[in-house]
Amino acid sequence: MNGAKPKLMIFSHICSPIFVTGAEKLLLLFTREMVRRFQCVMVVPQIGAIAEKARELGVRIVVQDIPLCISLYTAAPTLHEEIAAMQRSPAWGRIHAMLAEERPDFVLVNTSVHPLPALAAKAMGIPTIWVLMETVMDRPSKHMSVGLIVSNSDMVAGISHSTLQPIRDLAPQARTFMLPPYLIREELLPGSWPYHRMRLRQQHGWGEHHRVAGFMAATIYANKGLEQFVNAMLPIAASDGWARFLILGKSADDAYYRHCQKLVWDSGYSDRFLFLPFADQIQHAYPVMDVIVVPSLIAEGFGMTALEGLMFGKGVVASASGGLTEIMNATGNEEYLVPPGDVGKLTERVNGLLSNGALLRAVGERNMQTAQQVFGVEAFRERLAELVAQLPQTPVLIRGSLWRGSAPTVFLIENGMKRPFASEAAFLQRGFRFEDVTEVPDEDLQRLPAGPTLFEQKRRASGRRKVRRGKGRGMRRRHRHRRSSGRRSVRSGRRKRSGSKARRRRR
């Protein structure tokens, strides 16, 4: 391995400049624990929130913009054509160059939409962990997505059974591992919760007698279910004058976001609803709410908002889909699961908590305890130790890659060096194919030190012995004499045998 700790390159598919999305938040949680076991390097498309937070953990940051493939997640039938086009882009060569220069012991790729790092690492023989944070969509071409993920990873790690289900159904031979996220309650600064609850409520004219149901998402779009949340809360607003509703998040679809706001304005209860930007410091936001609603319309890979609500000791009502179902079942909240999109059931479950203070407090206390037991950091560390134990424990020799720049010369990249082929014959003689050559930018090729040239290997004539040089002319004569004597003796032996046969025939 490289140094005291093995080197792990972590590829983040995005790096938001202002706030950390759900997938980034999960990756950052994993990274915090990975640094205890690995020398970590994080590759990001740009400098942003997760990069700065990773630096605070002592993680070195490399910036490289790598194209994403949404079709891998959506299981589009054009997947292979899109991957082939991505491999013709300059980014493909740059990934190879970076891996050859960094020479990591392991590669970790985050989310299903980030295939190029996994494909490059696997081609170079680097053990690859592909972490799925979402469930590949259930479409006719799903087998194509699953096949590509499985064939380009040594381990598929999922944050829930839901994320791993397509792999286990269509590729049962694949190595999979369930690694759910964790939270550390003490790091959420529980001592500050009463202050933040009072401050935000006073700021917006809410008192402690008001009961607040909240919706929170880093980015808001249709599948997050904001419209269903609004429609489910309006009947509560009409029947309970003390109920209030908080919506936190950044719009990812302005037309949809404005539509949801218009529903509130047209209802006559707009004074009960509050729309605010996403709160990166979650300890400022969750305390103000009493019930957290997660009405997602898709099979969420996990559902970090639900886990955070539980850890803050809140009542949580969520859609019965994907990882949300697993979280709620694991913490004893089965009765607060509702079918995705069922507005009536959503109203019923939320109102049942908001209208019963004693029940709300009891459910909140239970949620805080069970969330720590099931999704605390100690449970995560035990699972991570199991995962690490299944990785190769001996140094991995990175396989060579074939590169060329703008010039026609092809290089074999191995052990951090570039070795030019002297001729086409030297290339073909070693069993290589020109279709496997990756075109890389000249500057990436120039960064690598030059190694010995690969010449055409001379083939020896069969059956001829190698003559040792430096023994003198007399030695060579004696060697030739012995060989010629040997040949004569074999021929003479054949003549003698053939003569004996002739005599036997004459007799």
Side-chain angles (χ1 to χ4, degrees):
M1 299 295 180
N2 299 347
K5 294 180 181 178
K7 186 175 185 179
L8 173 68
M9 290 201 76
I10 301 169
F11 286 82
S12 178
H13 70 304
I14 57 174
C15 187
S16 303
I18 302 173
F19 57 88
V20 178
T21 64
E24 292 174 280
K25 186 182 294 185
L26 294 178
L27 183 60
L28 193 60
L29 284 174
F30 289 174
T31 303
R32 289 182 56 185
E33 288 303 309
M34 293 294 187
V35 295
R36 297 160 60 93
R37 295 175 172 273
F38 299 94
Q39 173 196 346
C40 293
V41 178
M42 182 176 287
V43 183
V44 295
Q46 62 181 350
I47 294 298
I50 188 176
E52 296 301 336
K53 291 179 182 294
R55 276 178 175 158
E56 293 172 6
L57 299 173
V59 176
R60 181 162 60 87
I61 301 299
V62 175
V63 178
Q64 185 168 134
D65 193 12
I66 300 173
L68 305 179
C69 183
I70 306 300
S71 293
L72 190 54
Y73 164 62
T74 61
T78 57
L79 171 62
H80 291 313
E81 289 81 359
E82 292 183 41
I83 293 292
M86 291 168 68
Q87 289 177 315
R88 291 191 294 270
S89 72
W92 178 239
R94 290 194 178 100
I95 297 171
H96 280 265
M98 178 173 57
L99 291 174
E101 185 176 1
E102 294 282 348
R103 302 184 67 191
D105 297 292
F106 304 100
V107 159
L108 185 147
V109 178
N110 192 42
T111 78
S112 65
V113 302
H114 204 21
L116 287 191
L119 270 65
K122 187 66 175 175
M124 297 176 71
I126 305 171
T128 303
I129 309 164
W130 198 329
V131 180
L132 299 184
M133 297 196 175
E134 58 285 298
T135 305
V136 174
M137 289 188 176
D138 190 10
R139 291 181 174 171
S141 299
K142 181 171 65 174
H143 66 281
M144 294 169 57
S145 296
V146 169
L148 190 141
I149 292 170
V150 169
S151 61
N152 290 282
S153 58
D154 296 273
M155 175 76 73
V156 182
I159 59 174
S160 66
H161 290 295
S162 175
T163 59
L164 292 176
Q165 200 61 50
I167 309 296
R168 290 170 172 170
D169 287 345
L170 297 176
Q173 78 285 356
R175 295 180 66 195
T176 60
F177 194 91
M178 223 270 275
L179 190 67
Y182 68 94
L183 283 175
I184 303 176
R185 182 176 180 271
E186 292 72 22
E187 294 185 352
L188 301 175
L189 307 176
S192 70
W193 296 352
Y195 167 75
H196 291 302
R197 179 181 177 91
M198 177 192 67
R199 182 185 62 83
L200 189 58
R201 285 186 172 227
Q202 287 182 349
Q203 183 178 345
H204 297 288
W206 298 347
E208 194 55 42
H209 57 284
H210 290 110
R211 291 175 297 278
V212 180
F215 171 100
M216 186 157 70
T219 53
I220 297 176
Y221 49 93
N223 282 335
K224 291 296 182 182
L226 176 58
E227 181 177 358
Q228 286 69 27
F229 172 80
V230 169
N231 287 329
M233 297 305 105
L234 287 175
I236 301 177
S239 62
D240 185 352
W242 300 119
R244 295 294 183 268
F245 310 96
L246 176 61
I247 298 160
L248 289 162
K250 181 181 182 297
S251 169
D253 182 340
D254 289 343
Y256 174 77
Y257 191 77
R258 288 193 297 269
H259 167 70
C260 294
Q261 288 180 317
K262 189 173 187 302
L263 291 175
V264 172
W265 295 331
D266 292 346
S267 70
Y269 297 106
S270 59
D271 59 326
R272 315 280 180 88
F273 287 77
L274 181 62
F275 288 80
L276 292 178
F278 179 73
D280 187 40
Q281 299 295 323
I282 60 175
Q283 65 267 24
H284 296 174
Y286 281 101
V288 76
M289 296 179 275
D290 299 298
V291 177
I292 312 300
V293 186
V294 191
S296 180
L297 303 180
I298 59 173
E300 294 282 358
F302 186 73
M304 203 63 186
T305 302
L307 176 56
E308 290 168 347
L310 297 170
M311 194 68 79
F312 274 90
K314 306 300 178 181
V316 176
V317 178
S319 295
S321 65
L324 287 170
T325 302
E326 297 175 39
I327 295 172
M328 299 293 278
N329 286 340
T331 54
N333 284 283
E334 299 89 341
E335 62 182 303
Y336 296 108
L337 285 167
V338 301
D342 192 327
V343 172
K345 289 285 178 61
L346 205 58
T347 302
E348 180 185 327
R349 297 294 188 273
V350 174
N351 193 46
L353 289 170
L354 290 181
S355 61
N356 189 331
L359 175 64
L360 186 59
R361 285 190 296 274
V363 168
E365 290 174 5
R366 181 202 66 198
N367 287 347
M368 187 183 298
Q369 293 176 0
T370 56
Q372 290 183 78
Q373 292 170 1
V374 181
F375 297 105
V377 68
E378 293 304 325
F380 179 86
R381 285 172 181 166
E382 290 178 7
R383 296 290 291 161
L384 181 60
E386 291 181 37
L387 173 60
V388 172
Q390 296 183 31
L391 298 176
Q393 300 301 306
T394 55
V396 176
L397 196 61
I398 297 178
R399 286 200 297 266
S401 295
L402 300 171
W403 292 3
R404 77 171 182 85
S406 57
T409 303
V410 176
F411 296 85
L412 176 65
I413 309 301
E414 60 179 3
N415 299 322
M417 295 189 301
K418 57 184 179 188
R419 302 185 62 187
F421 289 94
S423 64
E424 181 177 334
F427 178 88
L428 296 174
Q429 188 183 62
R430 289 168 171 82
F432 293 123
R433 304 182 310 165
F434 284 108
E435 53 263 41
D436 295 329
V437 177
T438 299
E439 186 171 347
V440 302
D442 288 336
E443 57 268 25
D444 291 334
L445 193 58
Q446 291 164 4
R447 281 211 309 265
L448 296 179
T453 300
L454 294 162
F455 293 99
E456 184 179 355
Q457 298 170 334
K458 295 181 180 179
R459 290 188 173 88
R460 298 176 194 156
S462 59
R464 300 189 64 180
R465 296 181 184 178
K466 182 178 179 181
V467 178
R468 296 179 64 185
R469 296 181 180 179
K471 295 297 183 180
R473 188 176 298 173
M475 180 70 73
R476 289 196 292 271
R477 284 201 193 102
R478 287 194 296 272
H479 183 74
R480 286 196 297 270
H481 176 72
R482 283 197 297 270
R483 284 194 300 167
S484 61
S485 300
R487 286 196 293 271
R488 283 196 298 271
S489 64
V490 171
R491 286 196 294 270
S492 62
R494 286 174 183 166
R495 285 196 297 269
K496 289 176 183 177
R497 285 194 295 270
S498 61
S500 300
K501 289 180 182 178
R503 282 196 295 274
R504 282 198 295 269
R505 282 198 296 270
R506 284 197 298 269
R507 288 174 186 169

